[in-house]
Amino acid sequence: MAVYGWSGKRLGQKSSAALLLTPFVVAYLAFLVIPFLNGIWISLHNWNLMAVAFDPNAKEFVGLRNYERILWGKNIVWSPAASPLVQWSAAFVLLSTLLLTAFGKISRGTAVLVGSIALILFVACGFHPGAGGRWYDRRFWPTVGNTILFVALTVPSITIISLSLAVLVNRESRAMAVFRTIFFLSQVLSVTVVTLIWQLLFSPRQGLIANVITLFGGSPIHWLTDERFAMAAIVITTVWWSLGIAMILFLAGLQDISRDIYEAAALDNAKGWRAFRHITLPNLKRTITLVVVLQIILHFQVFGQSHLMTGGGPNDSTQTLVRYIYQTGFRDSELGRATTMAVFLFVIMGAFSLVQFLLGREDKD
Amino acid sequence: MSGVELKNVVKTFGDIEVIHGVDLTVEDGEFCVFVGPSGCGKSTLMRLVAGLESITDGTIRIGERDVTKLDPALRGVAMVFQTYALYPHMTVEENMSFGLRMNGVPKDEIRRKVSEASRILKLDDYLKRKPKALSGGQRQRVAIGRTIVRGPEVFLFDEPLSNLDAELRVEMRVEIARLHKELGATMIYVTHDQVEAMTLADKIVVLRDGRIEQIGKPLDLYNDPDNRFVAGFIGSPSMNFLAADVRTGAIQSPALDQRLDLPSGKPADGTRLEVGIRPEHLSIDADGSYFRIDLIERLGGVSYVYLTGQQGERVIVEEGGSSRLQEHDHVGLAFNAADLRFFDADSGSRIR
């Protein structure tokens, strides 16, 4: 086959590829790469939004001072029992992972993922201010903790519930098609609508949940203003909102498993739960990894739910990282510090993306 | 080991009845082949025996037990699927042992059975591999190994060779025949390929549109078909059929160029018939001129001569490999009247 250059009024493969890629690359550079690098640049400055807007020279280069002021404190020490519950659970998980790996019970990818999370938790939670010391930013680490707690509660719930739903509606019937649509429907609503719906549901006076509880003789829970329940309320809202996409991904994964295999399993005396355990789950491994990592990345960025439902309260118990960044940057105008936190968030999410990438590669072998 | 007995088995999908009251007995240790064109219900019938489809009416017995309503796993059957249906996430060894593990068989026994099956099927080198790292033939053997370790009363094969290439198909066909001799178990085998049916079967069941057309030994079906469908389906190349009439107490067919005596059934005058004769029972009569030679396929040992008659009849004649015939020659047919089979043109049933 002849290859035409410009003279033939046809583009070669390379030049047409370049031509077709250009719009994307330009947009990608202009709206992602450059702002990102700019963000890192800002994070190295003492940069007040208002001041710099009026006088571009009002910023001061401070190097890594912002990072220190956010992440560190005065007289910070480390001990293995600073927050015993978290640290010791993490240590337990770490040890079990090592043991299971040694006996070949879990794959290397899973071991690295779980093990490194446990290790990071164990080490990170060990830092605390020593005698007379204090964190420079007292709100930052609790906020990170809230965000991690939020992710730790939502992601497993979403994964388990959406997988169960997917298994239940993975049937060829009209009723199941209707259910699939219904379960997916919540996904298309915007965060404002979702939070509005759930604010009504959670309302201690006229809300549905309060009504049901009263009906059974209980006293209504003040979901959004009670420190014990506010995080739960936000988690429930988020789970309800995000089930759809995870379910669709699981459905796609389920439909990839051939029916023959289930029939062979039925003859091998594996039906129902045992077929799920021995056939469905192992064959869905890739999908589960994908869903979990996507959800982690997505929910680390939680903002709307806490901003609109609880305003980060009560007593900062639902303050999340993105909301804190937003407030620092646009309420307090401390753009330098805000971008520093954003970079921190980027590192966390980047790490999970990397894990997803590595696990995906391992599966192909 | 035990036989299989189907009594008045009916299966409907929604409003459509696909199996219309089948009665069939497969003897203990017999190799029974269900054969028929696609959509004839042969796979459905096997899946009813396996319990993968629920039966609409009738009963199925395996050995002494009525298994009509029994769970597939409890029927004592094991099945080889057309797509092999190996568990993609398990190694060969795990694939073969899965059924035993699910049935709580002790580990030592599992190991013994798997290693025996892998020895029989020459899978020892592949035990730690996953299915995707195996060739088609190896996957096929794993699928068979999975059934052997279960030690079932009845083996079911659903078109097991149709995903293999021609050479491997012959090889695996021999392997399955050998396996049947070695294990002596009852086997039911579904295929649309009548060569597989002829070579493997003790008993062939020919199905069409959810009904049994004929049951019998391979050569009985070949030599003594009950109807035109079986006559045409069994044998390759298939039987030739020529239109004929009963006139003045004899059979007349323009293509056969002679009056033929009536079969003992004595069809009445005016009955329209089809006369069937197999290619190997025909030979070329160089003096005739009714047929023209379209094409000669020379296979070495034999040649197939494709003829077209003056009224468009198509006939295949098997000739010796060294036949001197030329394409476009005009020829006639020679045959022995004893090799002719007569069928009613309307009902297709045999007139003996």
Side-chain angles (χ1 to χ4, degrees):
Chain A
M1 203 176 77
V3 177
Y4 296 93
W6 280 105
S7 58
K9 297 202 173 170
R10 282 227 205 163
L11 293 177
Q13 215 174 10
K14 276 191 182 165
S15 21
S16 46
L19 187 71
L20 290 168
L21 276 174
T22 311
F24 169 75
V25 171
V26 168
Y28 188 71
L29 286 174
F31 296 110
L32 266 161
V33 178
I34 295 173
F36 171 70
L37 295 175
N38 199 20
I40 295 179
W41 177 242
I42 293 175
S43 77
L44 302 176
H45 290 76
N46 188 358
W47 187 307
N48 186 294
L49 186 64
M50 290 303 161
V52 176
F54 289 113
D55 170 15
N57 296 320
K59 54 185 186 270
E60 179 200 351
F61 184 84
V62 291
L64 293 175
R65 267 263 307 286
N66 278 331
Y67 290 88
E68 191 195 358
R69 281 186 50 197
I70 282 162
L71 304 173
W72 208 239
K74 202 168 85 177
N75 193 20
I76 299 298
V77 294
W78 188 86
S79 87
S83 20
L85 192 65
V86 180
Q87 274 185 294
W88 294 349
S89 332
F92 176 74
V93 170
L94 186 60
L95 282 176
S96 339
T97 314
L98 288 176
L99 276 177
L100 287 174
T101 318
F103 287 113
K105 294 280 184 197
I106 50 174
S107 75
R108 220 187 47 190
T110 321
V112 171
L113 176 65
V114 177
S116 31
I117 291 176
L119 184 66
I120 290 170
L121 275 180
F122 179 72
V123 174
C125 293
F127 291 105
H128 62 100
R134 63 173 181 86
W135 294 105
Y136 294 131
D137 183 339
R138 268 182 301 152
R139 287 179 76 195
F140 180 74
W141 284 113
T143 301
V144 172
N146 287 341
T147 313
I148 290 175
L149 178 65
F150 174 81
V151 170
L153 291 173
T154 28
V155 173
S157 316
I158 290 173
T159 309
I160 291 168
I161 297 174
S162 62
L163 178 56
S164 319
L165 285 179
V167 170
L168 289 177
V169 300
N170 185 26
R171 264 164 247 190
E172 291 302 318
S173 76
R174 199 159 302 167
M176 289 306 156
V178 171
F179 277 118
R180 280 200 287 268
T181 316
I182 290 175
F183 289 132
F184 187 70
L185 220 53
S186 64
Q187 191 85 46
V188 302
L189 301 175
S190 83
V191 66
T192 41
V193 178
V194 172
T195 50
L196 199 64
I197 292 172
W198 281 92
Q199 271 173 307
L200 289 174
L201 284 173
F202 284 132
S203 160
R205 272 194 298 281
Q206 77 257 34
L208 176 70
I209 298 172
N211 282 336
V212 172
I213 291 177
T214 328
L215 195 67
F216 287 101
S219 53
I221 297 170
H222 292 250
W223 287 93
L224 300 176
T225 46
D226 188 323
E227 220 177 296
R228 291 168 301 168
F229 294 108
M231 180 59 90
I234 286 179
V235 168
I236 291 170
T237 307
T238 309
V239 169
W240 180 83
W241 186 31
S242 320
L243 280 179
I245 195 75
M247 187 189 75
I248 294 292
L249 287 171
F250 280 131
L251 273 172
L254 285 173
Q255 274 160 20
D256 259 2
I257 308 175
S258 112
R259 276 227 346 237
D260 284 355
I261 295 176
Y262 285 107
E263 294 186 337
L267 285 164
D268 276 343
N269 202 13
K271 278 171 102 174
W273 166 251
R274 296 215 284 183
F276 179 77
R277 158 86 184 70
H278 293 286
I279 308 296
T280 311
L281 270 188
N283 281 296
L284 273 186
K285 225 182 86 189
R286 292 185 75 145
T287 317
I288 294 173
T289 314
L290 177 77
V291 167
V292 167
V293 174
L294 280 182
Q295 298 284 340
I296 289 176
I297 293 171
L298 185 69
H299 292 306
F300 256 109
Q301 307 174 66
V302 56
F303 171 73
Q305 296 93 304
S306 104
H307 193 65
L308 295 169
M309 289 176 75
T310 60
N315 192 21
D316 257 4
S317 65
T318 56
Q319 176 75 314
T320 63
L321 201 48
V322 172
R323 187 167 185 274
Y324 193 38
I325 293 171
Y326 163 79
Q327 287 182 328
T328 313
F330 299 105
R331 189 192 60 191
D332 308 340
S333 298
E334 293 280 358
L335 212 53
R337 277 199 6 219
T339 47
T340 308
M341 293 183 220
V343 170
F344 176 83
L345 183 60
F346 167 80
V347 171
I348 293 181
M349 296 195 302
F352 280 107
S353 309
L354 192 70
V355 166
Q356 149 79 7
F357 176 72
L358 292 177
L359 285 183
R361 261 206 337 194
E362 186 187 66
D363 279 354
K364 276 192 202 116
D365 301 339
Chain B
M1 304 293 168
S2 35
V4 178
E5 191 184 354
L6 281 69
K7 264 207 186 113
N8 191 30
V9 167
V10 175
K11 173 68 187 171
T12 57
F13 287 112
D15 295 336
I16 304 158
E17 191 171 293
V18 292
I19 303 283
H20 318 279
V22 163
D23 291 297
L24 171 69
T25 307
V26 182
E27 304 295 341
D28 185 8
E30 197 168 44
F31 199 116
C32 175
V33 175
F34 295 173
V35 69
S38 59
C40 71
K42 55 191 189 297
S43 280
T44 308
L45 197 58
M46 168 175 284
R47 291 166 61 81
L48 288 171
V49 175
L52 296 173
E53 302 285 354
S54 65
I55 191 167
T56 310
D57 198 13
T59 53
I60 299 177
R61 303 178 70 85
I62 294 178
E64 296 300 304
R65 296 179 302 146
D66 183 344
V67 300
T68 314
K69 300 254 186 293
L70 220 54
D71 194 84
L74 304 174
R75 294 191 177 197
V77 300
M79 182 158 167
V80 176
F81 292 79
Q82 180 177 356
T83 55
Y84 318 137
L86 299 179
Y87 308 121
H89 57 289
M90 297 185 196
T91 62
V92 168
E93 191 172 15
E94 288 164 341
N95 260 288
M96 291 205 284
S97 62
F98 183 68
L100 298 176
R101 280 185 280 141
M102 286 297 105
N103 284 305
V105 175
K107 275 188 179 164
D108 294 344
E109 200 179 331
I110 293 179
R111 207 170 302 128
R112 191 172 53 74
K113 284 187 168 169
V114 168
S115 67
E116 191 186 328
S118 100
R119 183 186 53 78
I120 294 176
L121 293 165
K122 304 186 193 74
L123 284 168
D124 287 340
D125 296 341
Y126 310 106
L127 284 176
K128 298 289 173 206
R129 288 207 202 162
K130 289 202 176 156
K132 67 181 169 191
L134 300 177
S135 70
Q138 289 162 346
R139 287 179 201 184
Q140 181 64 75
R141 289 215 291 273
V142 176
I144 294 174
R146 198 164 62 176
T147 60
I148 292 179
V149 295
R150 292 273 313 280
E153 296 176 55
V154 180
F155 285 82
L156 305 175
F157 295 88
D158 187 3
E159 307 218 15
L161 306 184
S162 45
N163 284 4
L164 300 176
D165 60 44
E167 198 178 330
L168 210 50
R169 201 177 303 169
V170 175
E171 196 178 299
M172 287 307 296
R173 203 171 72 204
V174 175
E175 195 119 324
I176 289 175
R178 185 174 63 88
L179 205 65
H180 179 239
K181 283 219 173 65
E182 202 168 320
L183 301 174
T186 313
M187 294 187 175
I188 299 179
Y189 187 105
V190 163
T191 181
H192 61 265
D193 180 350
Q194 53 90 26
V195 177
E196 279 173 30
M198 293 294 286
T199 50
L200 287 169
D202 296 323
K203 180 198 281 180
I204 295 182
V205 178
V206 183
L207 288 149
R208 179 170 60 157
D209 294 337
R211 289 195 174 78
I212 293 182
E213 292 284 331
Q214 192 173 356
I215 303 175
K217 290 186 178 145
L219 286 180
D220 290 349
L221 293 192
Y222 187 81
N223 293 323
D224 193 15
D226 275 349
N227 53 50
R228 191 195 179 285
F229 177 77
V230 174
F233 193 80
I234 302 288
S236 170
S238 60
M239 188 182 264
N240 298 298
F241 294 99
L242 296 162
D245 293 303
V246 180
R247 249 181 285 152
T248 61
I251 293 172
Q252 309 231 342
S253 166
L256 296 176
D257 197 28
Q258 51 178 284
R259 285 168 59 95
L260 300 165
D261 291 337
L262 283 178
S264 54
K266 301 277 182 216
D269 264 20
T271 312
R272 294 192 305 115
L273 297 181
E274 279 191 283
V275 179
I277 184 159
R278 295 209 178 269
E280 70 267 29
H281 295 142
L282 282 172
S283 54
I284 298 291
D285 173 10
D287 297 334
S289 62
Y290 187 83
F291 289 95
R292 197 192 51 182
I293 299 177
D294 283 336
L295 179 74
I296 304 175
E297 280 182 345
R298 298 181 193 275
L299 303 184
V302 295
S303 301
Y304 293 116
V305 185
Y306 290 76
L307 306 174
T308 306
Q310 281 167 12
Q311 291 178 15
E313 304 96 329
R314 289 181 175 273
V315 170
I316 304 173
V317 178
E318 186 182 316
E319 281 280 300
S322 54
S323 163
R324 297 256 181 91
L325 294 164
Q326 294 292 323
E327 285 170 14
H328 310 305
D329 283 0
H330 284 267
V331 295
L333 294 177
F335 54 88
N336 182 346
D339 294 327
L340 298 177
R341 302 286 179 268
F342 302 101
F343 302 95
D344 187 303
D346 298 318
S347 69
S349 59
R350 172 93 177 271
I351 300 172
R352 291 176 203 266

